[in-house]
Amino acid sequence: MSTEQQQSPKRVTTRTIQEMKDAGMPIACLTAYDFLTARLLDDAGIDLILVGDSVSNVFQGNPTTLPVTLDEMIYHTKAVSRVVRRAMVITDLPFMSYQVTTEEAFRSAGRVMKETLAHGVKVEGGVRIAGMVEKVAGEGIPVMGHIGLMPQSILKFGGYRPRGTNEEEADALVQDALALQEAGAFAIVLEKIPATLGKRITEQLSIPTIGIGAGQHCSGQILVTHDMLGLFEDFRPRFVRRYAALADEMDRAFRQYIHDVKASTFPNESESY
Ligand code: KIV
């Protein structure tokens, strides 16, 4: 065994994620779209990195996740998986890359797996897409589900209100989760649903649930990294805990730099040759 192999940390896999759920160990997940963030997350010990289609909002500046393309998701995933040594890397299949036909879903998932070294794909939907998930997962591609608030359907729902807040919607979400599990999904993201429903779904499933605004009883948690770092401030849902105020820090640095250039105090002698 080479020194490099000896030093490589043990990779987090679908099995590790399941073992963590079974052992009651919370699974920590965050998003990344570039190599630097991915490397910092991996070094810090994150379990799963999602190359989310939230790249459309927080990187490309679009109002929704709808515009980002499969080629763009592949571009960002390559940058991430190139440097990640321990965490599992999952890529969102973007809007209209898997909804029309199962064949197209296969091709999209297949491209992500072949071209990016990602370890799986994430798709939005429950009962409606279970047949597709069964076929893709059946071919050996790890599939993560995503139910509750589904950003790719935001225009249909007309907003970001929490989902599953009445009995009918809650029961439908339980059915969605069971259908995804039955179809072979290895985990399911639950977005913006009541904590009691997050608990109910988590208790009914044998596979892990990853919550974002779904309360503390999920098997793991995920946030958009730009949100938790205080970098993206256009939209601030209550489930985002801010761990830093990087937008303020960047603003301070940019203003100081501009000031120093204008005042001719940068560069000084020690910064010159
Ligand atoms: O695109 C994304 O970042 C996501 C997370 C919010 C779960 O889907």
Side-chain angles (χ1 to χ4, degrees), residues 4 20 29 42 44 63 92 105 134 161 179 199 207 212-213 231 263:
E4 196 175 296
M20 289 175 80
C29 317
D42 200 40
D92 261 330
E134 188 172 359
R161 70 162 180 83
K199 182 169 188 275
I207 59 171
I212 172 162
L231 259 177

Side-chain angles (χ1 to χ4, degrees), residues 38-226:
R39 192 165 65 191
L40 287 166
L41 287 174
D42 200 40
D43 288 350
I46 202 77
D47 298 313
L48 184 148
I49 296 176
L50 174 70
V51 185
D53 57 1
S54 50
V55 68
S56 176
N57 305 85
V58 304
F59 181 88
Q60 298 181 332
N62 294 311
T64 69
T65 59
L66 274 63
V68 68
T69 66
L70 183 61
D71 284 340
E72 288 164 345
M73 293 305 298
I74 287 173
Y75 170 87
H76 286 284
T77 307
K78 279 181 176 171
V80 167
S81 47
R82 192 171 286 146
V83 291
V84 172
R85 298 190 314 146
R86 175 183 170 273
M88 186 170 192
V89 176
I90 298 297
T91 299
D92 261 330
L93 289 188
F95 180 62
M96 279 300 127
S97 70
Y98 62 95
Q99 287 94 340
V100 179
T101 63
T102 295
E103 192 179 312
E104 195 174 8
F106 255 130
R107 283 197 207 292
S108 301
R111 274 196 67 198
V112 168
M113 301 304 286
K114 266 187 110 64
E115 296 177 34
T116 72
L117 301 178
H119 306 117
V121 295
K122 177 164 82 59
V123 286
E124 296 181 7
V127 171
R128 190 176 47 79
I129 62 159
M132 177 276 282
V133 171
E134 188 172 359
K135 294 225 168 57
V136 174
E139 286 303 323
I141 299 177
V143 179
M144 188 178 215
H146 183 154
I147 60 173
L149 190 149
M150 295 182 290
Q152 292 179 12
S153 308
I154 208 66
L155 298 176
K156 177 182 165 204
F157 287 98
Y160 289 86
R161 70 162 180 83
R163 307 291 193 253
T165 50
N166 61 51
E167 209 179 310
E168 196 185 333
E169 256 187 43
D171 289 347
L173 283 172
V174 172
Q175 293 314 312
D176 282 336
L178 290 169
L180 288 169
Q181 170 172 280
E182 182 69 20
F186 76 90
I188 304 178
V189 168
L190 304 179
E191 181 161 355
K192 214 169 182 185
I193 60 172
T196 46
L197 180 57
K199 182 169 188 275
R200 182 176 155 200
I201 294 175
T202 302
E203 285 173 354
Q204 288 210 22
L205 295 184
S206 53
I207 59 171
T209 56
I210 306 296
I212 172 162
Q216 61 180 239
H217 300 288
C218 298
S219 324
Q221 300 292 333
I222 187 162
L223 285 174
V224 172
T225 298
H226 286 58

